[in-house]
Amino acid sequence: MILTLARKSLTARWGRNVFIALAIAFGVSFVSGSFVLADSMRATFDELFDDITATLDLQVRTQLQGVSETDGAVRDPVEASLRDTVAEVPGVAKVEGQYSRFAQIVDKDGDPVGGGGPPTFGFAWYDPAPESVFQIVEGVAPVGPDEVVIDRPVSELTGYVVGDTIPIILDTGQREFTVVGIAGRDDGQDVGGATTSYFDPAEAAEILSAPGVYDTLDVTIDHGADLNTVKQAVASVLPPNTEVLTGQEVGDEISDQLGTIISAFGTGLLIFALVTAFVTAFIINNVFGITIGQRLRELALLRSIGANAKQVRRLIVVEAMIVAVLATVAGVFGGLLVAQGIIWLFNQAGAGFPSVAMMLLPRTVIVSLVIGIGVVLLSVLVPARRASRIPPVAAMRPELGFEALSASRRLLGGAIVTGVGVVMFLVGLFVRPGGTSGLALFGGLGALLTFIGITSLSTTVALPVSRAIGAPIQKFFGVPGKIARDNASRSPRRTARTASALMIGVALISAAAVFAYSLRDTFTSVLESSINADYIVTDQTFTGLPPGVAEAMHDVPELSAVSPLRAIRGTIVGTDGSDKAIALAAVDPVTISDLVNLDVTEGDFSGLEAGNGVMVYRETANDFDLELGDTVDVVYQNGTEGALVVSGLFDDNSLDGNWYISLDQLSTVSTQAVRDQFILARVADGFTPEQASAAVEAAVAPFPQARVQDNAEFRAEVSGQIDQFLALITILLSFAIALSFFGIAVTLALSVFERTREIGLLRAVGMSRRQLRRSIRWEAVIVAIFGVVVGAVVGLGMGTALSLAVPDTVINQVTVPVPILIFVIIFAVIAAVMAAWYPARKASKMDVLRAIASE
């Protein structure tokens, strides 16, 4: 009987059930899409690198000590002479010296290809084994210093074909080559979005600026030879700090590194997805609460003919579960579209995601079902329980039945939940018990409880606030405005619940905006005070600049000081006896003091000129119990050991970290390919900025990847990057925001149904269709502004706490994002009017006599 009643009830109210199903499907699709995208990318890259390393038997390379490539470390190259040594090992058939260096293709319009997201590589071309999936698909292999093979995706993107002349940016500047071949995988898939150029192995060392070295040695063993035996034999002839791995080990390592990045990316998306699911729960709970309230007479009749409370609850839950299952299944498959949409979105921002085959794993389906059905179950249990507990006689009077619940108990419960949530949130941010996991647990759960508690508490302020918001609307729009104001304030609980979903989205955006604006203003002010340089030269490829750029700038007489900044990683022994990873920045000790102001309190940069000096951030020095003149034993990332003497202490680490050494010191401990993260320069006395700018631009002209910016332009770019970060967060929260307005539309539509008789009476006494539509639209605006106001207050508080929890070296001021708040209010008004379109149209189309006759 329950199933029959549930089926009939669902078909009788198919419209509102469709709305509920859409809300569930949207929420689940974001969760499903997050898993689908992460799983698809992981599977695509795993397959890709498995194929690439399938024909690789062994690889020889230098070791990294205490750090990995995911930390930003770059391996030193191996000496070219080691190739002959390895080739003489019994069981080794062939040894190929390989490079992985910077090479950026320029398209036919003169614009560099890639670099903003996907990497740009230059390799030596060796004819692959016949079974390799990567082959020349058109043309021939490169021979000589002026020929190149490019990958198929680049050929398709740029239109370059065999025989064309192609400009390629190298570390030595831009050169032109003749395209003699197109290389690609036999399945047509690209290499993870990267752009690649392949050169003659005999010429690659000169082309890629790697004289006398290789980045790796790729080893092929004799047919029938035992892989592990040959591996051990190769290892026995290798110099210290050099290692040999099997192709499988190399592939697994790359897969693990990419897996870490992909997992972090997927987790970030999942957080936003869970926010959307949380907002969905509020909407569904609100809708079910209203619809069950409207069905009290029907449920009372069921009770009066013999149905008990348990059967009523079961009926409501069964109805909800049918809708939930169907909507969740739709949401699971909708996740495939969401994943593709996210890829498109990030590619538009220059991320360079490769094409991936969408994968829907059983785990994704299970998690989506648990979330989709769980959200509905949690949302419907309380309304179902309340409906089943109301006596049949009281249920004949719907308003009495639901308003009889204690407001004081709700207020007390909301206050307790809010208090616990705020305390947990602050403990997570400032105490961080258990480190990062404690921050996530206490901070996330605290925020969740705070939202739940604020939603309950907002019921108590909904009446005065909605009336205050509606006062100017009533004044300027007369009768429609007054009716809108009265309707919004008539049921404060409904207004608060309807606005709760929007409140959550606005609160998160406001908190992110406070954090981002505070970070931007702090960083801008710090840059203004800490960088005295007139010019900052950066690159657009995120791979660093070649040393030739700084060398060219040193020869410019219009500049009085030039210093590149290079990096290396290492480990030192902490006060607890364990190894601690550190990042060291290398600078020119002679000129750096004229270019930066790090608030040096003891010693100075001249101490670096001795070769083994190090400048240390004071707080870091305190952590390691270091003072001026102390010796620090360092094991660099390549295994080289060294001793550094503390030659100075500084209080401002905002530029590039906590440890500074000299360029000469770096060159004595590392043979890795030199890359400059950026270059600082200052105008010499007697020259105008215009003269210096022209001279610098001319000096770096041979290096198109170098971008020259003055101090103000650099600060503006940093500010713009933070704004882009905030925009990305806002876009990812747009699902939740859109759902919140969807919830407003559904609630208004249900409210119109509930007020059918009232609307008929208003029309009977002379209210026009236009006035009726306006009243409903303004009611939506009042609800939306209420949600924005509450959300902004909560978000400003959370954002302030986040900003204060960050060290002062990162954020030292709190900025209120006034432009964002104004934009959110304007957007909310416009979106509310759009959300009210259907309910307003439905109300205005009612037949007056039928509306009056309805009960």
Side-chain angles (χ1 to χ4, degrees):
M1 182 184 73
I2 296 296
L3 289 176
T4 302
L5 287 174
R7 178 177 58 81
K8 291 183 177 296
S9 178
L10 290 173
T11 54
R13 300 175 179 85
W14 67 269
R16 69 187 66 179
N17 289 321
V18 167
F19 281 128
I20 294 172
L22 286 175
I24 299 168
F26 284 143
V28 172
S29 65
F30 204 171
V31 175
S32 172
S34 301
F35 282 112
V36 166
L37 181 56
D39 292 337
S40 301
M41 292 179 61
R42 188 179 293 107
T44 297
F45 281 111
D46 286 348
E47 180 185 0
L48 171 65
F49 288 107
D50 283 346
D51 289 343
I52 291 176
T53 58
T55 56
L56 174 65
D57 292 326
L58 299 171
Q59 185 178 88
V60 176
R61 66 186 189 185
T62 56
Q63 292 178 314
L64 286 175
Q65 299 286 340
V67 294
S68 67
E69 285 91 346
T70 54
D71 299 318
V74 178
R75 297 179 187 274
D76 283 15
V78 297
E79 294 294 330
S81 58
L82 187 59
R83 178 179 181 179
D84 294 335
T85 302
V86 174
E88 294 174 358
V89 173
V92 171
K94 182 173 60 175
V95 181
E96 298 171 341
Q98 189 54 270
Y99 305 95
S100 179
R101 299 292 173 107
F102 170 76
Q104 188 172 22
I105 294 169
V106 178
D107 65 21
K108 294 183 177 180
D109 295 326
D111 298 321
V113 178
T120 56
F121 290 124
F123 299 106
W125 177 266
Y126 294 96
D127 289 331
E131 64 270 20
S132 172
V133 298
F134 196 77
Q135 301 282 350
I136 290 182
V137 295
E138 182 180 351
V140 297
V143 177
D146 300 319
E147 294 185 352
V148 67
V149 168
I150 62 175
D151 64 74
R152 179 162 46 192
V154 170
S155 173
E156 294 172 351
L157 176 66
T158 61
Y160 287 119
V161 297
V162 173
D164 285 349
T165 298
I166 183 173
I168 298 179
I169 303 171
L170 305 166
D171 279 352
T172 54
Q174 183 170 302
R175 288 176 54 176
E176 291 189 344
F177 296 84
T178 300
V179 178
V180 296
I182 307 295
R185 287 163 52 91
D186 53 13
D187 58 5
Q189 194 171 350
D190 62 341
V191 187
T195 61
T196 50
S197 307
Y198 302 89
F199 305 97
D200 181 355
E203 305 292 340
E206 184 273 329
I207 295 171
L208 299 174
S209 303
V213 296
Y214 296 111
D215 289 327
T216 60
L217 296 176
D218 293 348
V219 180
T220 302
I221 67 174
D222 290 328
H223 182 69
D226 181 71
L227 182 63
N228 289 327
T229 301
V230 178
K231 177 185 177 181
Q232 293 175 4
V234 170
S236 66
V237 302
L238 297 180
N241 298 324
T242 309
E243 62 185 1
V244 56
L245 286 80
T246 65
Q248 182 64 46
E249 290 171 336
V250 172
D252 290 344
E253 182 183 87
I254 297 173
S255 178
D256 289 342
Q257 292 170 357
L258 288 173
T260 300
I261 298 172
I262 292 171
S263 294
F265 175 73
T267 300
L269 289 179
L270 186 59
I271 290 173
F272 289 100
L274 293 177
V275 169
T276 302
F278 185 53
V279 170
T280 302
F282 273 88
I283 294 172
I284 295 171
N285 181 267
N286 193 27
V287 172
F288 273 116
I290 294 172
T291 54
I292 292 174
Q294 294 173 352
R295 295 173 59 191
L296 285 182
R297 183 180 297 274
E298 169 196 330
L299 299 175
L301 289 173
L302 288 175
R303 293 290 306 278
S304 67
I305 62 175
N308 57 36
K310 183 177 181 180
Q311 288 175 317
V312 170
R313 286 198 303 271
R314 188 182 302 168
L315 171 63
I316 295 172
V317 171
V318 168
E319 289 181 19
M321 288 301 98
I322 292 173
V323 175
V325 170
L326 295 176
T328 300
V329 171
V332 169
F333 290 100
L336 300 173
L337 298 177
V338 170
Q340 292 173 338
I342 293 174
I343 290 177
W344 178 86
L345 176 65
F346 276 86
N347 282 342
Q348 294 304 304
F353 278 101
S355 57
V356 296
M358 295 292 108
M359 293 193 62
L360 185 60
L361 300 182
R363 182 255 302 162
T364 301
V365 176
I366 293 172
V367 172
S368 299
L369 288 172
V370 169
I371 290 177
I373 297 175
V375 162
V376 173
L377 187 61
L378 291 174
S379 300
V380 77
L381 283 180
V382 173
R385 181 172 175 270
R386 289 173 57 198
S388 66
R389 293 180 64 183
I390 297 174
V393 174
M396 294 292 183
R397 302 172 59 189
E399 290 299 321
L400 175 62
F402 271 80
E403 292 301 328
L405 296 174
S406 173
S408 60
R409 289 170 56 190
R410 187 167 56 248
L411 175 61
L412 178 61
I416 293 174
V417 172
T418 302
V420 172
V422 170
V423 170
M424 290 187 65
F425 183 69
L426 295 178
V427 168
L429 289 182
F430 293 96
V431 181
R432 300 181 185 179
T436 303
S437 59
L439 169 63
L441 176 62
F442 280 84
L445 186 57
L448 180 68
L449 292 177
T450 300
F451 286 135
I452 294 174
I454 290 294
T455 299
S456 181
L457 289 177
S458 62
T459 302
T460 61
V461 300
L463 176 60
V465 173
S466 60
R467 292 191 67 83
I469 295 171
I473 294 176
Q474 177 180 340
K475 181 177 181 180
F476 288 104
F477 294 96
V479 173
K482 183 180 188 310
I483 294 176
R485 183 190 185 196
D486 291 343
N487 284 337
S489 59
R490 177 192 304 175
S491 179
R493 188 179 179 200
R494 173 177 294 182
T495 297
R497 290 172 62 180
T498 303
S500 60
L502 178 60
M503 177 267 291
I504 296 170
V506 171
L508 292 173
I509 289 177
S510 301
V514 170
F515 185 84
Y517 271 56
S518 301
L519 177 64
R520 184 192 66 182
D521 291 351
T522 297
F523 204 66
T524 301
S525 62
V526 166
L527 288 177
E528 188 172 1
S529 61
S530 63
I531 296 183
N532 300 327
D534 296 308
Y535 298 103
I536 299 93
V537 183
T538 59
D539 76 301
Q540 303 179 24
T541 64
F542 303 109
T543 58
L545 293 163
V549 179
E551 293 169 3
M553 294 176 65
H554 273 295
D555 296 333
V556 176
E558 288 85 353
L559 299 177
S560 62
V562 176
S563 176
L565 189 144
R566 297 167 189 165
I568 190 172
R569 294 182 177 270
T571 57
I572 64 174
V573 178
T575 53
D576 60 355
S578 61
D579 290 340
K580 305 291 184 181
I582 63 172
L584 301 99
V587 295
D588 184 343
V590 177
T591 61
I592 192 65
S593 296
D594 294 331
L595 300 169
V596 300
N597 176 21
L598 300 185
D599 195 9
V600 177
T601 56
E602 293 186 58
D604 54 48
F605 276 97
S606 63
L608 303 186
E609 296 181 44
N612 64 338
V614 60
M615 296 286 290
V616 187
Y617 177 51
R618 181 172 292 279
E619 289 188 13
T620 300
N622 293 337
D623 292 340
F624 289 96
D625 197 21
L626 297 174
E627 296 180 356
L628 194 68
D630 286 350
T631 299
V632 183
D633 293 324
V634 181
V635 178
Y636 294 96
Q637 63 185 40
N638 57 6
T640 301
E641 298 180 359
L644 298 174
V645 178
V646 179
S647 60
L649 301 172
F650 59 92
D651 284 341
D652 185 354
N653 70 338
S654 55
L655 179 60
D656 198 67
N658 304 329
W659 306 79
Y660 285 88
I661 60 175
S662 69
L663 295 172
D664 289 341
Q665 172 67 12
L666 177 62
S667 66
T668 63
V669 298
S670 174
T671 58
Q672 70 183 49
V674 176
R675 311 301 299 177
D676 293 334
Q677 295 182 346
F678 54 86
I679 303 169
L680 303 174
R682 192 166 185 177
V683 178
D685 294 337
F687 294 96
T688 65
E690 291 76 15
Q691 291 173 320
S693 294
V696 173
E697 292 286 358
V700 304
F703 305 93
Q705 69 270 43
R707 180 173 52 178
V708 180
Q709 295 174 298
D710 62 31
N711 202 306
E713 290 172 337
F714 180 71
R715 294 198 308 270
E717 180 185 37
V718 171
S719 177
Q721 290 173 349
I722 296 176
D723 289 341
Q724 289 178 358
F725 167 73
L726 177 59
L728 178 61
I729 291 178
T730 303
I731 290 173
L732 292 174
L733 287 172
S734 62
F735 270 84
I737 297 293
L739 275 174
S740 66
F741 285 106
F742 181 78
I744 291 175
V746 175
T747 302
L748 284 175
L750 294 173
S751 176
V752 167
F753 172 79
E754 190 175 80
R755 300 198 301 255
T756 299
R757 180 178 174 82
E758 173 188 325
I759 290 171
L761 291 172
L762 288 172
R763 293 278 286 115
V765 297
M767 190 175 199
S768 67
R769 295 177 186 271
R770 184 179 183 184
Q771 288 177 318
L772 181 59
R773 288 195 297 268
R774 281 186 174 180
S775 68
I776 294 175
R777 285 197 295 265
W778 284 118
E779 182 182 350
V781 169
I782 292 172
V783 172
I785 293 179
F786 175 76
V788 169
V789 170
V790 176
V793 171
V794 175
L796 290 175
M798 286 186 164
T800 300
L802 284 169
S803 301
L804 294 176
V806 174
D808 289 343
T809 54
V810 179
I811 295 180
N812 60 18
Q813 64 186 76
V814 177
T815 303
V816 177
V818 176
I820 294 294
L821 297 179
I822 293 174
F823 169 78
V824 169
I825 291 174
I826 295 174
F827 174 79
V829 171
I830 296 173
V833 171
M834 296 175 62
W837 176 83
Y838 173 74
R841 182 175 179 275
K842 180 180 179 181
S844 66
K845 294 292 185 181
M846 284 185 182
D847 181 271
V848 176
L849 294 179
R850 289 184 178 178
I852 294 174
S854 67
E855 296 185 2

